[in-house]
Amino acid sequence: MSAVVESMMAAPTGLVRRQRVRVPMRLVWLPCYQDVALSVYVKVKALGLRPEGCQAKSTTIASYLGLSPASVERGMTQLRRPGPDGVVELFSDRRTLPGGRGTSAVRTVRAMTRTEAFVWLPVAAAEDLTPRQLRAFALIAYAQARGIALTEAELAAGLRHHSGQKEGQPLSVTAASAVVDEVEAARWVTVQRRAGAQGRHRYIAHDIAPEARPDGGCAAAAGAAEAAVTSGSQESVSSQVGEGSGSPVGEGSLANEESPRTDSPDDERAFFSSAVGEVPVVEGAGAVENPAGAAARTEADGDLALRAGGNSQPFLSKPETEKRSSRGGGSAWSSYDGPQLAMSPHIYAVLEPVHLLLERVTSDFVARQIAREVGRQLREGTDAERLHHRLTARFAKVMLSDIRDPGRWLLGVALPRWGCGYQDCEAGVLWSTGKDCEVCAEIVQDKAAARRRAQRIEQGLCPEHGTRPGPGGRCVDCVLDDAIRKPVLAPVPAQRELEGPPRGSCGDCGARIVVIGRALEDGLCKLCREEAAVLGTAVVPASAAAPAEPETCSGRDGDVPCGRKPLPSRSVCGVHRVQELAGEVA
């Protein structure tokens, strides 16, 4: 829905210029922005609310504001540059016709945040007042919305020189008073002199063009307030230096605690208002109703006007809500007769597949929620084409007669993204490639397995194999699986000891012998013992024999001496000893 509050009412003098835009206070407070930048911002933002956006040339905008094209270009240049805080207020999209000839650019303003300070300014004020007068009017309107008792010195601190030797310095109180007198002469502000606290002037900013107000309305109220004051200043203009109602700059009275949120001038009960292109959100929202004596809403025809006095038509109108009785139960309130709701063209184009359902949504709150959800998904990176395809596919799968509540179906079924945590997943299909999402496939398989397992448990079957368990509580397949995972190894038989006399090895040749008789003394077999007796060598028991010194085998491998170590109590190695025994046997 559009954040601009529009309402066309019939008056004896013609159409009332009531279009307003929400302007960030940083344009009013920061000295880096000249006065002309504020006027250009108001007009560009108002023109941007048309379905085709702001396509007016600089000369056209200058004719609307009564300024020179060079001044308008200078204001646009400042808005396109980053401010001290790095914020860019205006974006310009250059265009070229198919034939190669250039055309006017499309200009858009940034989307305001929910917490920054802002002020509602009538578009007609930007056309009637000079840039400096408009800045003074913005300061007065903001102070009025916040309930701040503004002094002339504080007002002068918000107006600055933009050229000459005093560039960047605040205006004097005298110059600021002269600016206020000019705004008052244009009938955009009423000054009740000495009517405020501690003798301050009271400033009243008007939100309707002067030609639409009755002659005796605000002027009569101001005159009555001035007559009640006995200070003798009824006929005097704004005070001179040293004679103002407030103290000098920096020494004025303390203001109330400020908040970055100010209410819409059309609805004082609203918590806050939204920026252009955003959806107005009312926390704890209920039905918005006006007293029974409120004027009826007038239908407007045509698109948003180029001028502030032109007709304006919301992009999407909702039927009036039903009447409800008051809390007392006796009287009934009339239906909502405030400004009609409007939806941004971009969001409305995305919702094109479900326009039939959107027209059946009778609750303004639900319509705001739908537009908010679409805007949120677009801001988070969802393509407009992807959201358009999602709405088309889901609306094609249901019968229109089955949708009992169009608003709930759009918010709960059509708009939410179905899929896994992967942002590119769209109901199990990757939007960028068109392939099936592997994560969603695994999730589907896991859920199917969990359902199958729960069903088997309810039926008393094995959860894993679906077979009947045996007497031990386990099925045959589970036992086989355990046997495969953990095979049972056969026990290794212990070595059996032989019965009979003890056995050992010969200390000379290493042959297995029965350790009995003389073998208990020398540890040799019979053949080695006889050989030792023939050679005349003393037989020393193996247990008592001392380690012999390392020697070299006396045998020869052909013509080369053998270098191997000889056997104990032998002069040859094992190889040559075998050769000797083989020769004796032969």
Side-chain angles (χ1 to χ4, degrees), residues 405-420:
D405 191 338
R408 292 185 61 184
W409 188 84
L410 289 174
L411 289 174
V413 179
L415 288 175
R417 183 182 68 86
W418 297 346
C420 60

Side-chain angles (χ1 to χ4, degrees), residues 134 143 158 184 192 327 342 393 456 512 586:
L134 180 64
E184 184 182 17
Q192 298 179 355
R327 186 172 298 181
R456 289 175 176 177
R512 296 290 295 174

